[in-house]
Amino acid sequence: MDYQDAGVNIEAGRSFVDQIRRSVESTHNPQVLGGLGGFGGYFELPTGYENPVLVSGTDGVGTKLKIAQALNSHRTIGIDLVAMCVNDILTSGAKPLFFLDYLATGQLNPQQLRDVVEGVVEGCQLSGCALLGGETAEMPGFYGAGEYDVAGFCVGIVEKSKLLDGSQINVGDVAIGLSSSGVHSNGFSLIRKIVEVNDLNWSDRFDILGEQTLGKILLTPTQIYVKPILEALNSGMEIKGMAHITGGGLPENLPRCLKENQSIKINPESWPILPIFQWIADTGNVENSAMFDTFNMGIGLVIIVPQKRVIENIKWFKSQGVFAYEIGEVVEGNRTLIGL
C-alpha cells in the first residue's frame, strides 16, 4: 500500500500549489522575501516606525461553509476568511502586513480549493496585505465528500504611540456604526436551523429579499474595512477606538473597546436594519434580544470619535462607499451596552 491507497494524493497536492502560485504571488510586495514552498514565509518589517508593535489575529468562517459547499460556491469564503482576521487586528489601529491560510479537506478538489484561495487573494488585495503562504491538509475519513474547513492567520503593525487600546476613550465620545454588507460570518448555525425547521432551500426566493436567492444573499462576503479606516487615521481624523461586530453582536463586542468604568448608550433605531435580518427574525420567530446577541444587525464595525468629529467622520466614510451612522454615546458604567 501507499499514501494514495489511504486516500491522500500527493501529486494532486503538488499540482494544486503550482496552480495557485501566480495568484498568491500577485499579493506580494517588496517586504516579502522568497516565494512559496519553504517551511516558513519571510517578511521584512517596513521602515519608518520608531517603536513598532506587531498585532496578530486568527479566525475562521464557521458553518457558513455549509452553505458554500451546498451551493458549490466557494470564492466569497476566501474573502470572509481574510475579513474576519484583518478587521480584528484593525481595531487596534494596525495595518495588516501578511496573511496565511489553512485548508483541510477529505479529498483534494483542486477547483473547489482554488476558488477558495482566489477569494483569499482578493481579500488580501482589498486589505493591502501579502498572502505569505499556507497549508493544505488532505484528511480522508475525517471530512466527508466535498467538505472542507478553513482557518486564517494575519499579522499587522502599528506605532506603539498610536495603538488603540481603549485608554483614549472618554465619557461623551460618540459611537459611529459602519454598515455591514450582510450577515458577514456569524450566526449561521441558527440560520441553518431556521432553514431546516421550515423545510426551506438555499435556492428559495422571498419578496422581502428581492430577486436574489436566500443562499446568494447569505454568501455575500464580509465587508473589509481596512483601507477606509487606515486612510482616515493617516489623514489625521481622530478615531479613539474600534470594535469589530462578530459573534455575540453589538452587546458582546462593542464594550470590548472601552475602559472598565465606561458603557455605551445605544439607539437601535439610528440605522436601517437590512432585510435579511428581518427575514431571519420573522421566519425563525427570533426575539429582538436574541437577534442582537447573535448578528451584527447591519453594523459591521464601530468607531469611537470625539463629539466634535462626528459629522466629519460620517461624511468621510460615506465618501468611501461605507454608510455610517451615529448610533450611541460613551457614558459611565461597567463595560455594558445600554439601550437594547
Side-chain angles (χ1 to χ4, degrees):
M1 297 179 68
D2 60 19
Y3 217 1
Q4 189 159 342
D5 292 323
V8 179
N9 191 329
I10 296 176
E11 288 302 320
R14 290 171 179 160
S15 176
F16 173 67
V17 173
D18 289 337
Q19 292 173 32
I20 65 173
R21 184 181 302 276
R22 182 172 295 181
S23 292
V24 172
E25 292 178 347
S26 72
T27 69
H28 290 181
N29 55 44
Q31 278 74 51
V32 177
L33 308 179
L36 294 180
F39 288 102
Y42 308 110
F43 194 94
E44 185 176 24
L45 287 179
T47 59
Y49 291 85
E50 294 183 3
N51 196 357
V53 174
L54 296 180
V55 183
S56 61
T58 182
D59 211 335
V61 180
T63 62
K64 187 173 186 176
L65 290 170
K66 284 287 190 181
I67 303 175
Q69 291 161 17
L71 295 175
N72 193 29
S73 179
H74 311 283
R75 186 180 177 102
T76 58
I77 289 299
I79 301 174
D80 283 313
L81 186 63
V82 176
M84 294 299 286
C85 297
V86 297
N87 286 343
D88 273 357
I89 69 168
L90 178 66
T91 61
S92 63
K95 169 184 170 56
L97 295 177
F98 59 83
F99 187 86
L100 301 111
D101 59 32
Y102 171 80
L103 288 80
T105 185
Q107 184 175 20
L108 191 110
N109 180 330
Q111 181 61 57
Q112 180 191 61
L113 297 189
R114 188 162 60 245
D115 287 347
V116 176
V117 173
E118 290 291 346
V120 172
V121 167
E122 184 176 349
C124 286
Q125 292 169 340
L126 289 170
S127 54
C129 67
L131 178 52
L132 200 57
E135 174 70 13
T136 303
E138 195 171 11
M139 303 165 64
F142 196 86
Y143 294 96
E147 292 183 344
Y148 63 89
D149 197 7
V150 293
F153 313 86
C154 67
V155 172
I157 190 169
V158 61
E159 190 71 67
K160 188 174 183 180
S161 62
K162 297 180 180 179
L163 180 67
L164 301 180
D165 58 4
S167 61
Q168 300 93 334
I169 298 175
N170 298 310
V171 170
D173 288 337
V174 174
I176 295 177
L178 305 186
S179 60
S180 69
S181 56
V183 181
H184 285 184
S185 298
N186 298 101
F188 280 87
S189 293
L190 175 56
I191 292 171
R192 288 170 46 245
K193 188 66 175 179
I194 291 170
V195 169
E196 176 189 343
V197 168
N198 288 277
D199 196 25
L200 303 174
N201 295 299
W202 304 119
S203 58
D204 289 342
R205 289 179 168 83
F206 302 90
D207 290 340
I208 192 175
L209 301 180
E211 296 182 357
Q212 289 187 321
T213 65
L214 175 63
K216 181 75 171 178
I217 291 172
L218 292 172
L219 287 180
T220 301
T222 304
Q223 178 77 32
I224 293 177
Y225 300 96
V226 172
K227 289 187 177 180
I229 287 288
L230 291 182
E231 288 181 18
L233 290 171
N234 291 335
S235 66
M237 297 178 65
E238 190 173 0
I239 297 177
K240 293 186 171 186
M242 285 181 268
H244 184 202
I245 311 306
T246 57
L250 285 161
E252 180 173 324
N253 290 286
L254 188 45
R256 293 167 65 182
C257 70
L258 302 175
K259 298 175 187 175
E260 292 291 339
N261 62 342
Q262 295 174 342
S263 292
I264 289 186
K265 185 177 182 181
I266 195 167
N267 176 9
E269 297 181 355
S270 57
W271 74 91
I273 302 297
L274 300 176
I276 184 60
F277 297 112
Q278 191 61 56
W279 180 89
I280 293 169
D282 293 344
T283 308
N285 193 26
V286 184
E287 293 184 357
N288 195 54
S289 59
M291 289 294 297
F292 275 94
D293 282 338
T294 307
F295 302 104
N296 66 61
M297 299 301 284
I299 298 295
L301 193 84
V302 177
I303 62 173
I304 308 297
V305 304
Q307 176 69 55
K308 64 182 179 180
R309 308 298 291 271
V310 171
I311 296 177
E312 175 188 9
N313 274 276
I314 290 176
K315 287 183 176 179
W316 163 259
F317 285 102
K318 286 186 177 180
S319 74
Q320 301 300 303
V322 180
F323 288 107
Y325 309 93
E326 182 178 343
I327 66 171
E329 180 184 2
V330 179
V331 296
E332 293 183 357
N334 56 353
R335 296 184 77 178
T336 57
L337 200 62
I338 302 170
L340 288 182

